[in-house]
Coordinates of all heavy atoms in Angstrom, one line a residue:
D313 N -6.7 -6.4 -8.6 CA -7.1 -7.7 -8.0 C -5.9 -8.4 -7.3 O -6.1 -9.0 -6.2 CB -7.7 -8.6 -9.0 CG -9.2 -8.1 -9.3 OD1 -9.7 -7.3 -8.6 OD2 -9.7 -8.6 -10.3
S314 N -4.8 -8.4 -7.9 CA -3.7 -9.3 -7.4 C -3.1 -8.8 -6.1 O -2.4 -9.5 -5.4 CB -2.6 -9.4 -8.4 OG -1.9 -8.1 -8.6
V315 N -3.5 -7.6 -5.7 CA -2.9 -7.0 -4.4 C -4.0 -6.8 -3.4 O -3.7 -6.5 -2.2 CB -2.2 -5.7 -4.6 CG1 -1.1 -5.9 -5.7 CG2 -3.1 -4.5 -5.0
K316 N -5.2 -7.1 -3.7 CA -6.3 -6.9 -2.7 C -6.1 -7.8 -1.5 O -5.8 -9.0 -1.7 CB -7.7 -7.3 -3.4 CG -8.2 -6.2 -4.3 CD -9.6 -6.6 -4.8 CE -10.1 -5.5 -5.7 NZ -11.4 -5.9 -6.3
G317 N -6.3 -7.3 -0.3 CA -6.1 -8.0 0.9 C -4.6 -8.1 1.4 O -4.4 -8.5 2.5
R318 N -3.7 -7.6 0.5 CA -2.3 -7.6 0.9 C -1.7 -6.2 1.0 O -0.9 -5.9 1.8 CB -1.4 -8.4 -0.1 CG -1.8 -9.8 -0.2 CD -0.8 -10.6 -1.1 NE -0.7 -10.1 -2.4 CZ 0.4 -9.7 -3.0 NH1 1.5 -9.7 -2.3 NH2 0.4 -9.3 -4.3
F319 N -2.2 -5.3 0.1 CA -1.7 -3.9 0.0 C -2.8 -3.0 0.6 O -4.0 -3.2 0.3 CB -1.4 -3.5 -1.4 CG -0.2 -4.2 -2.0 CD1 0.5 -5.3 -1.4 CD2 0.4 -3.7 -3.2 CE1 1.6 -5.9 -1.9 CE2 1.5 -4.3 -3.8 CZ 2.1 -5.4 -3.1
T320 N -2.4 -1.9 1.2 CA -3.3 -0.9 1.7 C -2.8 0.5 1.4 O -1.6 0.8 1.7 CB -3.5 -1.0 3.2 OG1 -4.0 -2.3 3.5 CG2 -4.5 0.1 3.7
I321 N -3.6 1.3 0.7 CA -3.2 2.6 0.4 C -3.9 3.6 1.4 O -5.0 3.3 1.8 CB -3.6 3.0 -1.1 CG1 -3.0 4.4 -1.5 CG2 -5.1 3.0 -1.3 CD1 -3.2 4.7 -3.0
S322 N -3.1 4.6 1.8 CA -3.7 5.6 2.7 C -3.1 6.9 2.4 O -2.1 7.0 1.7 CB -3.4 5.1 4.2 OG -2.0 5.1 4.4
R323 N -3.6 7.9 3.1 CA -3.1 9.3 2.8 C -3.1 10.1 4.1 O -4.0 9.9 5.0 CB -3.9 10.0 1.8 CG -5.3 10.3 2.1 CD -6.1 10.7 0.8 NE -5.5 11.9 0.2 CZ -5.6 12.3 -1.0 NH1 -6.4 11.5 -1.9 NH2 -5.1 13.4 -1.5
D324 N -2.1 11.0 4.3 CA -2.1 11.9 5.4 C -1.9 13.3 4.7 O -0.9 13.7 4.3 CB -0.8 11.6 6.3 CG -0.8 12.4 7.5 OD1 -1.3 13.6 7.5 OD2 -0.2 12.0 8.5
N325 N -3.1 14.0 4.7 CA -3.1 15.3 4.0 C -2.3 16.4 4.8 O -1.9 17.4 4.2 CB -4.5 15.7 3.8 CG -5.2 14.9 2.7 OD1 -4.6 14.3 1.9 ND2 -6.5 14.8 2.8
V326 N -2.1 16.1 6.1 CA -1.3 17.1 6.9 C 0.2 17.0 6.5 O 0.9 18.0 6.3 CB -1.5 16.9 8.4 CG1 -0.5 17.7 9.2 CG2 -2.9 17.1 8.8
K327 N 0.6 15.8 6.2 CA 2.0 15.5 5.8 C 2.2 15.5 4.3 O 3.3 15.3 3.8 CB 2.5 14.2 6.4 CG 2.5 14.2 7.9 CD 3.0 12.9 8.4 CE 3.1 12.9 10.0 NZ 3.7 11.6 10.5
N328 N 1.1 15.8 3.6 CA 1.2 15.7 2.1 C 1.8 14.4 1.6 O 2.6 14.4 0.6 CB 2.1 16.9 1.6 CG 1.5 18.3 2.0 OD1 0.3 18.4 2.1 ND2 2.4 19.2 2.2
T329 N 1.4 13.3 2.2 CA 2.0 12.0 1.9 C 0.9 11.0 1.6 O -0.1 10.9 2.3 CB 2.9 11.6 3.0 OG1 3.9 12.6 3.2 CG2 3.6 10.3 2.7
V330 N 1.2 10.1 0.7 CA 0.4 8.9 0.4 C 1.3 7.7 0.7 O 2.5 7.7 0.4 CB -0.1 8.9 -1.1 CG1 -0.8 7.6 -1.4 CG2 -0.9 10.1 -1.4
Y331 N 0.7 6.7 1.3 CA 1.4 5.5 1.6 C 0.9 4.3 0.9 O -0.3 4.3 0.5 CB 1.3 5.3 3.1 CG 1.8 6.4 4.0 CD1 0.9 7.3 4.5 CD2 3.1 6.6 4.3 CE1 1.3 8.4 5.3 CE2 3.6 7.6 5.0 CZ 2.7 8.5 5.6 OH 3.1 9.6 6.3
L332 N 1.8 3.3 0.8 CA 1.3 2.0 0.3 C 1.9 1.0 1.2 O 3.2 0.7 1.2 CB 1.8 1.8 -1.2 CG 1.2 0.5 -1.8 CD1 -0.3 0.5 -2.0 CD2 1.9 0.2 -3.1
Q333 N 1.1 0.4 2.1 CA 1.6 -0.7 3.0 C 1.4 -2.0 2.2 O 0.3 -2.3 1.8 CB 0.7 -0.7 4.2 CG 1.0 -1.8 5.2 CD 2.4 -1.7 5.8 OE1 2.8 -0.6 6.2 NE2 3.2 -2.8 5.9
M334 N 2.5 -2.7 2.1 CA 2.6 -3.9 1.3 C 2.9 -5.1 2.3 O 4.0 -5.1 2.8 CB 3.6 -3.8 0.2 CG 3.3 -2.6 -0.7 SD 4.4 -2.6 -2.1 CE 6.0 -2.5 -1.4
N335 N 2.0 -6.0 2.4 CA 2.2 -7.2 3.3 C 2.2 -8.5 2.4 O 1.7 -8.4 1.3 CB 1.1 -7.3 4.3 CG 1.1 -6.0 5.3 OD1 2.2 -5.5 5.6 ND2 -0.1 -5.7 5.7
S336 N 2.7 -9.5 3.0 CA 2.7 -10.8 2.4 C 3.3 -10.7 0.9 O 2.7 -11.2 0.0 CB 1.3 -11.4 2.3 OG 0.7 -11.5 3.6
L337 N 4.4 -10.1 0.9 CA 5.0 -9.8 -0.4 C 5.4 -11.1 -1.1 O 5.9 -12.1 -0.5 CB 6.2 -8.9 -0.3 CG 5.7 -7.4 -0.1 CD1 6.9 -6.6 0.4 CD2 5.3 -6.8 -1.4
K338 N 5.3 -11.1 -2.5 CA 5.6 -12.3 -3.3 C 6.7 -11.8 -4.3 O 6.8 -10.7 -4.6 CB 4.4 -12.7 -4.1 CG 3.2 -13.0 -3.2 CD 2.0 -13.4 -4.1 CE 0.8 -13.6 -3.2 NZ -0.4 -14.0 -4.0
P339 N 7.5 -12.8 -4.8 CA 8.5 -12.5 -5.8 C 7.9 -11.7 -7.0 O 8.6 -10.8 -7.5 CB 9.1 -13.8 -6.2 CG 8.9 -14.7 -5.0 CD 7.6 -14.2 -4.4
E340 N 6.7 -12.0 -7.4 CA 6.1 -11.3 -8.5 C 5.7 -9.9 -8.2 O 5.2 -9.2 -9.1 CB 4.9 -12.1 -9.0 CG 3.8 -12.5 -7.9 CD 4.0 -13.9 -7.4 OE1 5.2 -14.3 -7.2 OE2 3.0 -14.6 -7.2
D341 N 5.8 -9.4 -7.0 CA 5.6 -8.0 -6.6 C 6.9 -7.2 -6.9 O 6.8 -6.0 -6.8 CB 5.3 -7.9 -5.1 CG 3.9 -8.5 -4.8 OD1 3.0 -8.3 -5.6 OD2 3.8 -9.1 -3.7

């Protein structure tokens, strides 16, 4: 819940990679 709307998880199966895009970061992150 605390990261909804700020973080986005995605995957690229060709690159064998998972990403975590983190926006509006807070000190508690």
Side-chain angles (χ1 to χ4, degrees):
D313 283 348
S314 70
V315 307
K316 282 182 181 177
R318 299 190 299 124
F319 291 11
T320 302
I321 188 171
S322 61
R323 64 192 302 157
D324 185 334
N325 290 333
V326 174
K327 296 182 178 180
N328 300 328
T329 302
V330 177
Y331 302 99
L332 186 67
Q333 177 67 44
M334 305 186 296
N335 299 327
S336 302
L337 283 162
K338 305 175 182 180
E340 52 264 41
D341 294 319

